[in-house]
PDB file of all heavy atoms in Angstrom:
ATOM      1  N   LYS J  32    -143.244  84.725 204.055  1.00  0.00           N
ATOM      2  CA  LYS J  32    -143.765  83.349 204.098  1.00  0.00           C
ATOM      3  C   LYS J  32    -142.642  82.258 204.103  1.00  0.00           C
ATOM      4  O   LYS J  32    -142.843  81.159 203.689  1.00  0.00           O
ATOM      5  CB  LYS J  32    -144.632  83.125 202.874  1.00  0.00           C
ATOM      6  CG  LYS J  32    -145.820  84.109 202.820  1.00  0.00           C
ATOM      7  CD  LYS J  32    -146.702  84.081 203.943  1.00  0.00           C
ATOM      8  CE  LYS J  32    -147.904  85.059 203.770  1.00  0.00           C
ATOM      9  NZ  LYS J  32    -148.648  85.244 205.023  1.00  0.00           N
ATOM     10  N   PHE J  33    -141.521  82.669 204.701  1.00  0.00           N
ATOM     11  CA  PHE J  33    -140.461  81.670 204.809  1.00  0.00           C
ATOM     12  C   PHE J  33    -140.727  80.948 206.138  1.00  0.00           C
ATOM     13  O   PHE J  33    -141.328  81.463 207.088  1.00  0.00           O
ATOM     14  CB  PHE J  33    -138.988  82.405 204.993  1.00  0.00           C
ATOM     15  CG  PHE J  33    -138.422  82.751 203.671  1.00  0.00           C
ATOM     16  CD1 PHE J  33    -138.807  83.795 202.980  1.00  0.00           C
ATOM     17  CD2 PHE J  33    -137.327  82.027 203.338  1.00  0.00           C
ATOM     18  CE1 PHE J  33    -138.249  84.043 201.753  1.00  0.00           C
ATOM     19  CE2 PHE J  33    -136.657  82.415 202.118  1.00  0.00           C
ATOM     20  CZ  PHE J  33    -137.149  83.431 201.334  1.00  0.00           C
ATOM     21  N   ASN J  34    -140.079  79.619 206.193  1.00  0.00           N
ATOM     22  CA  ASN J  34    -139.998  79.023 207.530  1.00  0.00           C
ATOM     23  C   ASN J  34    -138.742  79.540 208.164  1.00  0.00           C
ATOM     24  O   ASN J  34    -137.628  79.460 207.487  1.00  0.00           O
ATOM     25  CB  ASN J  34    -140.009  77.568 207.345  1.00  0.00           C
ATOM     26  CG  ASN J  34    -141.276  76.945 206.753  1.00  0.00           C
ATOM     27  OD1 ASN J  34    -142.299  77.217 207.202  1.00  0.00           O
ATOM     28  ND2 ASN J  34    -141.081  76.149 205.728  1.00  0.00           N
ATOM     29  N   VAL J  35    -138.852  80.117 209.303  1.00  0.00           N
ATOM     30  CA  VAL J  35    -137.711  80.844 210.030  1.00  0.00           C
ATOM     31  C   VAL J  35    -137.190  79.941 211.167  1.00  0.00           C
ATOM     32  O   VAL J  35    -137.955  79.661 212.119  1.00  0.00           O
ATOM     33  CB  VAL J  35    -137.982  82.125 210.371  1.00  0.00           C
ATOM     34  CG1 VAL J  35    -136.801  82.786 211.159  1.00  0.00           C
ATOM     35  CG2 VAL J  35    -138.373  83.036 209.151  1.00  0.00           C
ATOM     36  N   ILE J  36    -135.928  79.560 211.275  1.00  0.00           N
ATOM     37  CA  ILE J  36    -135.286  79.020 212.346  1.00  0.00           C
ATOM     38  C   ILE J  36    -134.429  79.988 213.038  1.00  0.00           C
ATOM     39  O   ILE J  36    -133.488  80.454 212.389  1.00  0.00           O
ATOM     40  CB  ILE J  36    -134.561  77.711 212.010  1.00  0.00           C
ATOM     41  CG1 ILE J  36    -135.441  76.636 211.394  1.00  0.00           C
ATOM     42  CG2 ILE J  36    -133.780  77.072 213.188  1.00  0.00           C
ATOM     43  CD1 ILE J  36    -134.649  75.485 210.728  1.00  0.00           C
ATOM     44  N   GLY J  37    -134.645  80.305 214.216  1.00  0.00           N
ATOM     45  CA  GLY J  37    -133.908  81.299 214.895  1.00  0.00           C
ATOM     46  C   GLY J  37    -132.915  80.651 215.988  1.00  0.00           C
ATOM     47  O   GLY J  37    -133.429  79.735 216.731  1.00  0.00           O
ATOM     48  N   ILE J  38    -131.567  81.048 215.955  1.00  0.00           N
ATOM     49  CA  ILE J  38    -130.801  80.466 216.993  1.00  0.00           C
ATOM     50  C   ILE J  38    -130.009  81.693 217.693  1.00  0.00           C
ATOM     51  O   ILE J  38    -129.727  82.637 217.120  1.00  0.00           O
ATOM     52  CB  ILE J  38    -129.719  79.473 216.498  1.00  0.00           C
ATOM     53  CG1 ILE J  38    -128.735  80.117 215.519  1.00  0.00           C
ATOM     54  CG2 ILE J  38    -130.395  78.330 215.878  1.00  0.00           C
ATOM     55  CD1 ILE J  38    -127.632  79.159 215.148  1.00  0.00           C
ATOM     56  N   ASP J  39    -129.827  81.487 218.949  1.00  0.00           N
ATOM     57  CA  ASP J  39    -129.146  82.584 219.749  1.00  0.00           C
ATOM     58  C   ASP J  39    -128.721  81.914 221.156  1.00  0.00           C
ATOM     59  O   ASP J  39    -129.441  81.110 221.636  1.00  0.00           O
ATOM     60  CB  ASP J  39    -130.184  83.690 220.068  1.00  0.00           C
ATOM     61  CG  ASP J  39    -129.479  85.055 220.362  1.00  0.00           C
ATOM     62  OD1 ASP J  39    -128.704  85.065 221.288  1.00  0.00           O
ATOM     63  OD2 ASP J  39    -129.745  85.986 219.596  1.00  0.00           O
ATOM     64  N   ASN J  40    -127.612  82.349 221.597  1.00  0.00           N
ATOM     65  CA  ASN J  40    -127.196  81.819 222.935  1.00  0.00           C
ATOM     66  C   ASN J  40    -127.518  82.768 224.098  1.00  0.00           C
ATOM     67  O   ASN J  40    -127.160  82.513 225.167  1.00  0.00           O
ATOM     68  CB  ASN J  40    -125.627  81.569 222.983  1.00  0.00           C
ATOM     69  CG  ASN J  40    -124.867  82.871 222.860  1.00  0.00           C
ATOM     70  OD1 ASN J  40    -125.366  83.983 222.687  1.00  0.00           O
ATOM     71  ND2 ASN J  40    -123.607  82.714 223.009  1.00  0.00           N
ATOM     72  N   LEU J  41    -128.195  83.902 223.635  1.00  0.00           N
ATOM     73  CA  LEU J  41    -128.749  84.906 224.681  1.00  0.00           C
ATOM     74  C   LEU J  41    -127.599  85.540 225.531  1.00  0.00           C
ATOM     75  O   LEU J  41    -127.894  86.014 226.620  1.00  0.00           O
ATOM     76  CB  LEU J  41    -129.751  84.272 225.687  1.00  0.00           C
ATOM     77  CG  LEU J  41    -130.937  83.519 224.911  1.00  0.00           C
ATOM     78  CD1 LEU J  41    -131.869  82.963 225.981  1.00  0.00           C
ATOM     79  CD2 LEU J  41    -131.728  84.508 224.121  1.00  0.00           C
ATOM     80  N   LEU J  42    -126.436  85.529 224.803  1.00  0.00           N
ATOM     81  CA  LEU J  42    -125.341  86.305 225.620  1.00  0.00           C
ATOM     82  C   LEU J  42    -125.584  87.783 225.788  1.00  0.00           C
ATOM     83  O   LEU J  42    -125.494  88.471 226.760  1.00  0.00           O
ATOM     84  CB  LEU J  42    -123.941  86.012 224.947  1.00  0.00           C
ATOM     85  CG  LEU J  42    -122.790  86.739 225.457  1.00  0.00           C
ATOM     86  CD1 LEU J  42    -122.446  86.156 226.896  1.00  0.00           C
ATOM     87  CD2 LEU J  42    -121.665  86.604 224.622  1.00  0.00           C
ATOM     88  N   THR J  43    -126.032  88.279 224.654  1.00  0.00           N
ATOM     89  CA  THR J  43    -126.394  89.753 224.615  1.00  0.00           C
ATOM     90  C   THR J  43    -127.821  90.026 223.996  1.00  0.00           C
ATOM     91  O   THR J  43    -128.436  91.069 224.165  1.00  0.00           O
ATOM     92  CB  THR J  43    -125.479  90.617 223.711  1.00  0.00           C
ATOM     93  OG1 THR J  43    -125.383  90.064 222.403  1.00  0.00           O
ATOM     94  CG2 THR J  43    -124.078  90.551 224.334  1.00  0.00           C
ATOM     95  N   GLY J  44    -128.419  88.929 223.354  1.00  0.00           N
ATOM     96  CA  GLY J  44    -129.789  88.961 222.887  1.00  0.00           C
ATOM     97  C   GLY J  44    -130.746  88.738 223.905  1.00  0.00           C
ATOM     98  O   GLY J  44    -130.459  88.336 224.956  1.00  0.00           O
ATOM     99  N   SER J  45    -132.062  89.136 223.620  1.00  0.00           N
ATOM    100  CA  SER J  45    -133.186  89.048 224.569  1.00  0.00           C
ATOM    101  C   SER J  45    -134.365  88.339 223.966  1.00  0.00           C
ATOM    102  O   SER J  45    -134.687  88.642 222.867  1.00  0.00           O
ATOM    103  CB  SER J  45    -133.598  90.404 225.094  1.00  0.00           C
ATOM    104  OG  SER J  45    -134.787  90.405 225.927  1.00  0.00           O
ATOM    105  N   LEU J  46    -134.921  87.398 224.656  1.00  0.00           N
ATOM    106  CA  LEU J  46    -136.077  86.708 224.228  1.00  0.00           C
ATOM    107  C   LEU J  46    -137.256  87.605 224.033  1.00  0.00           C
ATOM    108  O   LEU J  46    -138.112  87.429 223.222  1.00  0.00           O
ATOM    109  CB  LEU J  46    -136.466  85.592 225.282  1.00  0.00           C
ATOM    110  CG  LEU J  46    -135.647  84.405 225.222  1.00  0.00           C
ATOM    111  CD1 LEU J  46    -135.990  83.419 226.390  1.00  0.00           C
ATOM    112  CD2 LEU J  46    -135.654  83.520 223.904  1.00  0.00           C
ATOM    113  N   SER J  47    -137.270  88.822 224.740  1.00  0.00           N
ATOM    114  CA  SER J  47    -138.361  89.737 224.483  1.00  0.00           C
ATOM    115  C   SER J  47    -138.435  90.263 223.191  1.00  0.00           C
ATOM    116  O   SER J  47    -139.458  90.644 222.604  1.00  0.00           O
ATOM    117  CB  SER J  47    -138.190  90.934 225.562  1.00  0.00           C
ATOM    118  OG  SER J  47    -136.945  91.646 225.205  1.00  0.00           O
ATOM    119  N   ASN J  48    -137.236  90.199 222.396  1.00  0.00           N
ATOM    120  CA  ASN J  48    -137.309  90.723 221.084  1.00  0.00           C
ATOM    121  C   ASN J  48    -138.034  89.743 219.991  1.00  0.00           C
ATOM    122  O   ASN J  48    -138.383  90.237 218.936  1.00  0.00           O
ATOM    123  CB  ASN J  48    -135.887  90.845 220.332  1.00  0.00           C
ATOM    124  CG  ASN J  48    -135.200  92.057 221.140  1.00  0.00           C
ATOM    125  OD1 ASN J  48    -135.682  93.056 221.519  1.00  0.00           O
ATOM    126  ND2 ASN J  48    -133.859  92.097 221.133  1.00  0.00           N
ATOM    127  N   ILE J  49    -138.258  88.476 220.457  1.00  0.00           N
ATOM    128  CA  ILE J  49    -139.000  87.516 219.662  1.00  0.00           C
ATOM    129  C   ILE J  49    -140.323  86.991 220.357  1.00  0.00           C
ATOM    130  O   ILE J  49    -140.829  86.091 219.848  1.00  0.00           O
ATOM    131  CB  ILE J  49    -138.162  86.449 219.139  1.00  0.00           C
ATOM    132  CG1 ILE J  49    -137.560  85.582 220.342  1.00  0.00           C
ATOM    133  CG2 ILE J  49    -137.011  86.860 218.235  1.00  0.00           C
ATOM    134  CD1 ILE J  49    -136.960  84.265 220.026  1.00  0.00           C
ATOM    135  N   SER J  50    -140.648  87.625 221.462  1.00  0.00           N
ATOM    136  CA  SER J  50    -141.680  87.111 222.144  1.00  0.00           C
ATOM    137  C   SER J  50    -142.977  87.266 221.359  1.00  0.00           C
ATOM    138  O   SER J  50    -144.015  86.404 221.564  1.00  0.00           O
ATOM    139  CB  SER J  50    -141.860  87.957 223.508  1.00  0.00           C
ATOM    140  OG  SER J  50    -142.137  89.278 223.282  1.00  0.00           O
ATOM    141  N   HIS J  51    -143.129  88.179 220.534  1.00  0.00           N
ATOM    142  CA  HIS J  51    -144.335  88.337 219.705  1.00  0.00           C
ATOM    143  C   HIS J  51    -144.408  87.265 218.622  1.00  0.00           C
ATOM    144  O   HIS J  51    -145.601  87.066 218.000  1.00  0.00           O
ATOM    145  CB  HIS J  51    -144.343  89.779 219.022  1.00  0.00           C
ATOM    146  CG  HIS J  51    -143.096  89.961 218.042  1.00  0.00           C
ATOM    147  ND1 HIS J  51    -141.841  90.082 218.531  1.00  0.00           N
ATOM    148  CD2 HIS J  51    -143.086  89.909 216.664  1.00  0.00           C
ATOM    149  CE1 HIS J  51    -141.045  90.258 217.482  1.00  0.00           C
ATOM    150  NE2 HIS J  51    -141.732  90.135 216.333  1.00  0.00           N
ATOM    151  N   LEU J  52    -143.413  86.444 218.393  1.00  0.00           N
ATOM    152  CA  LEU J  52    -143.446  85.320 217.476  1.00  0.00           C
ATOM    153  C   LEU J  52    -143.876  84.092 218.112  1.00  0.00           C
ATOM    154  O   LEU J  52    -144.010  83.027 217.408  1.00  0.00           O
ATOM    155  CB  LEU J  52    -142.093  85.198 216.809  1.00  0.00           C
ATOM    156  CG  LEU J  52    -141.383  86.438 216.045  1.00  0.00           C
ATOM    157  CD1 LEU J  52    -140.111  86.085 215.533  1.00  0.00           C
ATOM    158  CD2 LEU J  52    -142.403  86.884 214.960  1.00  0.00           C
TER     159      LEU J  52
END
Side-chain angles (χ1 to χ4, degrees):
K32 307 300 182 184
F33 277 71
N34 296 312
V35 177
I36 299 171
I38 63 173
D39 202 300
N40 68 349
L41 303 178
L42 180 68
T43 60
S45 172
L46 286 172
S47 64
N48 285 339
I49 58 168
S50 60
H51 62 289
L52 301 179

